[in-house]
Amino acid sequence: MNKKEIKERYEQAKKAYAKIGVDTDGAIEKASSIPLSIHCWQGDNIKGFMHPDETLSGGIQVTGEYPYGARNPKELREDLHQVFSMIPGKKKLNLHAIYADTDDSIDVNEIEPKHFSRWVDFAKEEQIGLDFNPTLFSHPKAASGFTLSSNKKEIRDFWIDHCIRSRKIGEYFGKELNQKSVVNIWIPDGFKDYPIDRLSPRKRLAESLDRIYESDIDESHVLDTVESKLFGIGTEAYTTGSYDFYLSYVLDRNKTICLDLGHFHQTEDVFDKIPSVMVFSDELLLHISRPMRWDSDHVVLMDDVLQRTMETLVRNDLLDRTHLALDFFDGSISPLFAWTIGSRNAQKALLRALLEPVKMLKDMENDGDYNHRLTWTEELKTYPFADVFAYYCLKNDVPYDDAWIKQLDEYEKRNLQERRQ
Ligand code: RNT
Ligand code: ZN
């Protein structure tokens, strides 16, 4: 399809949506303004550049033998640049501490803003913001399975120091790029089998977090978030950083919770936690992931879970208070395809949610007219959403149809040969 056809189709779709009171131009504008934080770690299966020979630990796993991936910061940036040009809308890049780009040989307790200056240059070129994560896994000091909640002071101190340094880096990102950097703490701590003492690790975690957040930074540049988890491989019986723990912590200490779609029982509706949390919290970080039977971090699909999550944010007017971040890693397919599929899906679901006649549906609900509420949510499923998405891509100067597949194939063919040498 050529550009003219895309525009014509859009005009038709616009009319169809206008009939039910939906402003498609407004929806596109809104979708374009919501940043999506794209995770760097899909690019190299969470190896990072600090100690790439360390095996991934902390109960998360990347499986697959796809023979491709960035081997250094330069290649990762090249890949990200390519991927960004396939994704409509506003973007941020989400970095982990182990992605420091420096010629010095440093450990995680030595990171400083200067080790990330090349990432800041890249972000400026790409006109995007940066988010940050301390890396509390894949490290000898995390080998016991405990970090901030360890019963050894020396281990806790090491990781507290790392997290304090991470906030400094977030502050640097925020200042340099003129937009808040989300600094998210996730720890792998937990027990494989039933612990006797379920309380002390959590008390230690609260104390460690307090020490981290006491450290002096300009908080206007950073949003501090903590990510809960139900279990991991090797921590099936108990995680110190459970949802109840962190939700209580953030509400008491005025911090922000991170909900990862894969970190709950598989039968739980994670999207329904959002409005509950937001009655009491100003902001929220969402890790958009896809669990399959466990926290498997599959590439995000445009499925019911994602759609309901986006609908919940739009229908309840929570988009502007929510930070959207991707979190998946599949080593069995191309990282570039994984990124692009997942990111475009997040954008599709977001735009589709913005194309609902929310007021009309709410009025029906308030009037007790459940016949029409159900009828319309079903009717909307066959509305010409695809034509609006194509136009959204066109406006953002990214591929509006399946042309991106060929572009990525060619990019891979060019680079794969070189990287296999
Ligand atoms: C792990 C968490 C965490 C990580 C990243 C790499 O279960 O989801 O967000 O995926 O920090
Ligand atoms: Zn996560």
Side-chain angles (χ1 to χ4, degrees), residues 54-67:
E54 191 78 35
T55 44
L56 182 61
S57 76
I60 48 179
Q61 275 202 354
V62 187
T63 55
E65 292 290 318
Y66 195 81

Side-chain angles (χ1 to χ4, degrees), residues 164-178:
I164 290 175
R165 286 166 180 274
S166 295
R167 283 182 93 217
K168 278 256 162 238
I169 291 159
E171 178 192 43
Y172 162 65
F173 288 171
K175 243 188 233 167
E176 286 287 323
L177 302 168
N178 257 326

Side-chain angles (χ1 to χ4, degrees), residues 41 46 60 96 137 186 227 229 260 263 287 295 327 329:
W41 51 91
I46 331 185
I60 48 179
H96 242 284
F137 51 84
W186 171 73
E227 180 176 0
K229 190 161 179 171
D260 183 311
H263 288 193
H287 268 192
D295 177 38
D327 185 12
F329 22 95

Side-chain angles (χ1 to χ4, degrees), residues 33-87:
S33 74
I34 304 293
L36 178 66
S37 192
I38 294 165
H39 54 317
C40 75
W41 51 91
Q42 168 64 83
D44 73 336
N45 297 339
I46 331 185
K47 282 193 207 67
F49 309 121
M50 211 176 268
H51 21 248
D53 296 333
E54 191 78 35
T55 44
L56 182 61
S57 76
I60 48 179
Q61 275 202 354
V62 187
T63 55
E65 292 290 318
Y66 195 81
Y68 185 78
R71 297 164 303 177
N72 53 53
K74 192 176 151 278
E75 288 180 356
L76 187 56
R77 282 193 284 270
E78 275 164 19
D79 289 355
L80 284 163
H81 173 74
Q82 176 63 34
V83 164
F84 288 165
S85 70
M86 313 261 132
I87 304 165

Side-chain angles (χ1 to χ4, degrees), residues 50 96-98 107-111 132-137 148 156-169 212:
M50 211 176 268
H96 242 284
I98 45 172
D107 199 352
V108 287
N109 61 337
E110 294 168 313
I111 51 166
F132 198 70
N133 304 262
T135 312
L136 296 100
F137 51 84
L148 294 177
R156 289 199 304 281
D157 285 348
F158 178 87
W159 291 113
I160 289 168
D161 183 27
H162 172 58
C163 292
I164 290 175
R165 286 166 180 274
S166 295
R167 283 182 93 217
K168 278 256 162 238
I169 291 159
I212 293 164

Side-chain angles (χ1 to χ4, degrees), residues 250-268:
V250 299
L251 292 176
D252 197 53
R253 308 292 210 271
N254 198 19
K255 295 292 169 195
T256 300
I257 191 87
C258 167
L259 298 180
D260 183 311
L261 296 182
H263 288 193
F264 296 87
H265 288 286
Q266 297 265 289
T267 49
E268 275 184 283

